[in-house]
Amino acid sequence: MNCNSSLIFVLLLMLCSSLAQPRPDDQQAETLRLDVDNNGVDKYAFSYETSNGITRSEEGELKPGEGDAEGVISVHGSTSWTAPDGKKYEVSFTADETGYHPTVKLVPRSCPMLNKLYIGFYNKQMQ
């Protein structure tokens, strides 16, 4: 790459990274939806969604123990959010007498303009 190509590439990297910064409305996020169901005895459920894209849901139920053993709460749920680096994360989980079992999924967010530019630079260098 020559100096001009390198400079353009760096400037586009900076532009894409600035687009991935947290939105200014994160601190003023509002709850768009909140659902709660709790019978106060052996099960509960809740879910919510905020204006900045955070979602969360969870359900729990008391599983009776065998014999004289106390019961255990079995829980499953999920949450998702977009991190300050612009990447979206999704976590689903179960929790019971065997422990907490999360599954994390990263949903990558790319910068289409940067991808096109990189491919263009690569093709130019290969000529």
Side-chain angles (χ1 to χ4, degrees):
M1 266 193 241
N2 64 31
C3 185
N4 287 336
S5 297
S6 296
L7 179 61
I8 291 171
F9 187 71
V10 168
L11 289 175
L12 284 172
L13 273 174
M14 291 171 50
L15 172 66
C16 287
S17 66
S18 69
L19 293 174
Q21 296 301 312
R23 297 171 297 213
D25 63 336
D26 280 349
Q27 292 181 354
Q28 289 81 29
E30 297 180 5
T31 302
L32 300 176
R33 181 183 52 81
L34 174 62
D35 299 314
V36 178
D37 181 17
N38 186 343
N39 72 5
V41 179
D42 61 357
K43 63 182 168 180
Y44 71 92
F46 70 85
S47 64
Y48 63 83
E49 180 180 355
T50 62
S51 60
N52 61 346
I54 296 172
T55 61
R56 173 100 161 88
S57 65
E58 180 174 312
E59 294 182 26
E61 185 171 3
L62 181 63
K63 292 172 30 179
E66 295 186 25
D68 292 336
E70 292 186 17
V72 295
I73 295 179
S74 176
V75 179
H76 65 274
S78 64
T79 186
S80 67
W81 70 95
T82 301
D85 62 2
K87 295 178 182 172
K88 183 173 181 174
Y89 292 87
E90 297 175 359
V91 177
S92 57
F93 65 90
T94 60
D96 55 22
E97 67 276 10
T98 65
Y100 178 68
H101 309 283
T103 302
V104 180
K105 179 181 177 185
L106 171 62
V107 183
R109 179 179 152 188
S110 66
C111 180
M113 182 175 22
L114 182 60
N115 292 344
K116 288 179 184 178
L117 182 67
Y118 178 76
I119 291 169
F121 280 136
Y122 180 78
N123 289 339
K124 186 176 180 181
Q125 294 301 316
M126 296 307 291
Q127 294 177 356

